[in-house]
Amino acid sequence: AQSVTQPDIHITVSEGASLELRCNYSYGATPYLFWYVQSPGQGLQLLLKYFSGDTLVQGIKGFEAEFKRSQSSFNLRKPSVHWSDAAEYFCAVGAGNNDMRFGAGTRLTVKP
Amino acid sequence: DAGITQSPRHKVTETGTPVTLRCHQTENHRYMYWYRQDPGHGLRLIHYSYGVKDTDKGEVSDGYSVSRSKTEDFLLTLESATSSQTSVYFCAIRSGTGNTEAFFGQGTRLTVV
């Protein structure tokens, strides 16, 4: 089955600084990749997704992610972080089967 | 917001008692999922359904059973709750597989004492 690794449990960045959250996946074929965000006490909201085509995908709230097949990575980036971006971020991989697997998440803290 | 309702939102139960969580959707989506969320583990798939009466196990299915008798309802049952099943449970729905987005409910916080 497919799997996802998010190496960073917790990241702290200053407001206005750039952000990169790492995601590595394991899957034998072309994966379907997703990034979700979870605010405290809430469900998950989709930020962006990738299946094919341009390897740099744009999402909501100014986020983007780049798919690198050679590195089995799908890292999430934002050029300038806002205090409202503080949340937990999950990378997920869907395969040709029915299920969707998530990473352990990265908690983002934004310093004023 | 996608029409997903989880009930109850919070529950405290005693070890050894049966517990059923309900997920109700109004989107007529074919696929429904139950995940549990625990610190350090992210979301782990318990069971999922790909149609009425069609279900399959996920990665942490031991101690859980599910049923889907109608398209709109997906029930998760803990036959005999244990403290290790204290968690936040999320239901998700998808209209398809592959690159189809999953929509999540608000979660159910279950505490087993």
Side-chain angles (χ1 to χ4, degrees):
Chain A
Q2 66 272 33
S3 65
V4 178
T5 301
Q6 294 180 246
D8 304 306
I9 297 172
H10 184 207
I11 285 182
T12 299
V13 301
S14 298
E15 190 168 16
S18 63
L19 170 70
E20 182 169 25
L21 303 182
R22 296 183 290 165
C23 172
N24 294 99
Y25 68 89
S26 174
Y27 183 59
T30 301
Y32 306 88
L33 296 163
F34 306 81
W35 273 101
Y36 284 82
V37 61
Q38 183 184 33
S39 298
Q42 300 298 311
L44 279 73
Q45 179 186 20
L46 181 72
L47 286 174
L48 46 79
K49 64 181 180 180
Y50 171 80
F51 168 52
S52 64
D54 193 344
T55 57
L56 184 64
V57 294
Q58 303 297 319
I60 62 171
K61 305 185 181 187
F63 285 93
E64 65 179 25
E66 186 172 13
F67 171 63
K68 292 185 178 180
R69 184 185 301 276
S70 62
Q71 298 178 19
S72 297
S73 69
F74 188 55
N75 293 350
L76 182 71
R77 301 195 294 248
K78 187 170 185 178
S80 177
V81 170
H82 187 262
W83 63 266
S84 60
D85 293 324
E88 188 149 22
Y89 292 80
F90 293 93
C91 182
V93 57
N97 57 11
N98 300 315
D99 72 29
M100 179 183 285
R101 302 293 175 101
F102 286 79
T106 297
R107 184 162 62 91
L108 174 65
T109 298
V110 181
K111 293 191 302 183
Chain B
D1 290 342
I4 310 170
T5 304
Q6 291 186 231
S7 59
R9 293 292 313 279
H10 301 271
K11 185 170 183 66
V12 179
T13 192
E14 294 185 348
T15 299
T17 60
V19 177
T20 295
L21 309 183
R22 180 181 184 234
C23 178
H24 178 78
Q25 61 147 329
T26 58
E27 307 296 322
N28 200 37
H29 283 353
R30 178 180 177 187
Y31 300 91
M32 299 186 75
Y33 304 79
W34 277 108
Y35 291 89
R36 59 177 291 174
Q37 183 177 24
D38 304 287
H41 293 280
L43 279 81
R44 291 180 291 175
L45 182 64
I46 305 172
H47 282 280
Y48 63 94
S49 169
Y50 48 96
V52 173
K53 299 190 188 304
D54 291 323
T55 65
D56 205 349
K57 296 179 179 180
E59 55 189 315
V60 290
S61 58
D62 287 348
Y64 301 95
S65 62
V66 290
S67 66
R68 191 167 179 202
S69 58
K70 298 185 290 184
T71 297
E72 57 267 34
D73 289 324
F74 192 34
L75 305 180
L76 177 70
T77 297
L78 291 65
E79 301 291 347
S80 177
T82 67
S83 58
S84 64
Q85 294 175 311
T86 292
S87 186
V88 180
Y89 292 86
F90 284 97
C91 174
I93 63 174
R94 297 168 83 188
S95 59
T97 58
N99 69 338
T100 307
E101 174 184 358
F103 296 92
F104 284 81
Q106 293 297 301
T108 294
R109 182 172 296 276
L110 176 68
T111 303
V112 183
V113 297

